[in-house]
Structures are given as structure tokens and as C-alpha cells.
């Protein structure tokens, strides 16, 4: 269950990064809606990270933070490509894949 909480928390991390990106492109009421979205996403993300590191099947702090951050980073890069028209290159995708492989590796070696 803790791994599920951590994955969802990482997805909310992507949400708060996207919200910040959209807020920078917005003004007026739309800006405030993106900032509210940021606040909600960052709060949920941190709470889920906190919950994943506690309880009966706690994920070690170092592993939890690394996986949480990597999920957010991968999601943000993909969102940047799709939503913000950021560049796509072989090396960018190559290193994104190495990050994903590292996330899976951390999960495997952290299992009890």
C-alpha cells in the first residue's frame, strides 16, 4: 500500500510542477486557479510521501524520496514535451529511460 501512496504522491508532484508552468503563462483569474492547483497538488504530494514513509510497511526515507522525486521528474518531462512543446531528443529520452530503470531498481532492492 505504501508504494501505491508513493506513486500517487509522485504524480501529484508532476501536477504541482505543471501548475507552476501554467501559472507562468497565465494572468488574472486563470493565474490564481493555477496557483490554487499548485497548492493542492503540493499538499497532497507531501502528505502522501509522508504516509509512504510511515506505518507497518514503511519505505526507507532515502528510497521514498528518490522514487517520489524521480516519478515527479519523469512525469514533468513527459508533460513538458506534451503540454509545453519542449524539445525531444534521443539523449533526453535515453536519460529519461535510465531514470525509470533506476526507479524500478530502487523499488526491487527495497522490497522486504
Amino acid at each position: 500500500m505504501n508504494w501505491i501512496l508513493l506513486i500517487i504522491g509522485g504524480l501529484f508532484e508532476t501536477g504541482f510542477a505543471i501548475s507552476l508552468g501554467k501559472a507562468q503563462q497565465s494572468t488574472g483569474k486563470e493565474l490564481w486557479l493555477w496557483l490554487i492547483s499548485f497548492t493542492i497538488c503540493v499538499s497532497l504530494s507531501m502528505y502522501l510521501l509522508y504516509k509512504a514513509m510511515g506505518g507497518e510497511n514503511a519505505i526507507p526515507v532515502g528510497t521514498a524520496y528518490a522514487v517520489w522525486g524521480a516519478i515527479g521528474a519523469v512525469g514533468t518531462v513527459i508533460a513538458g514535451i506534451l503540454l509545453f512543446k519542449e524539445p525531444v531528443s534521443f539523449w533526453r529520452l535515453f536519460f529519461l529511460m535510465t531514470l525509470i530503470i533506476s526507479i524500478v531498481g530502487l523499488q526491487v532492492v527495497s522490497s522486504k
Side-chain angles (χ1 to χ4, degrees):
M1 182 65 171
N2 288 23
W3 283 103
I4 293 169
L5 295 175
L6 188 63
I7 291 167
I8 295 169
L11 295 174
F12 275 109
E13 184 186 3
T14 298
F16 77 70
I18 292 168
S19 296
L20 282 179
K22 288 292 196 178
Q24 292 208 338
Q25 298 175 345
S26 304
T27 58
K29 186 177 182 179
E30 185 180 355
L31 168 65
W32 286 104
L33 291 173
W34 283 114
L35 291 175
I36 290 167
S37 171
F38 165 78
T39 303
I40 291 168
C41 286
V42 76
S43 298
L44 288 170
S45 181
M46 292 294 171
Y47 177 74
L48 292 168
L49 174 62
Y50 164 77
K51 292 299 282 183
M53 293 188 303
E56 188 176 316
N57 295 314
I59 301 170
V61 173
T63 301
Y65 185 77
V67 171
W68 172 82
I71 291 169
V74 169
T76 303
V77 169
I78 292 169
I81 290 168
L82 298 175
L83 299 175
F84 300 106
K85 308 293 187 239
E86 292 179 359
V88 180
S89 68
F90 168 79
W91 288 111
R92 194 164 191 213
L93 295 178
F94 172 79
F95 287 115
L96 189 62
M97 289 306 300
T98 61
L99 184 56
I100 293 168
I101 291 166
S102 296
I103 294 169
V104 172
L106 276 173
Q107 195 275 337
V108 169
V109 300
S110 295
S111 297
K112 293 183 179 181

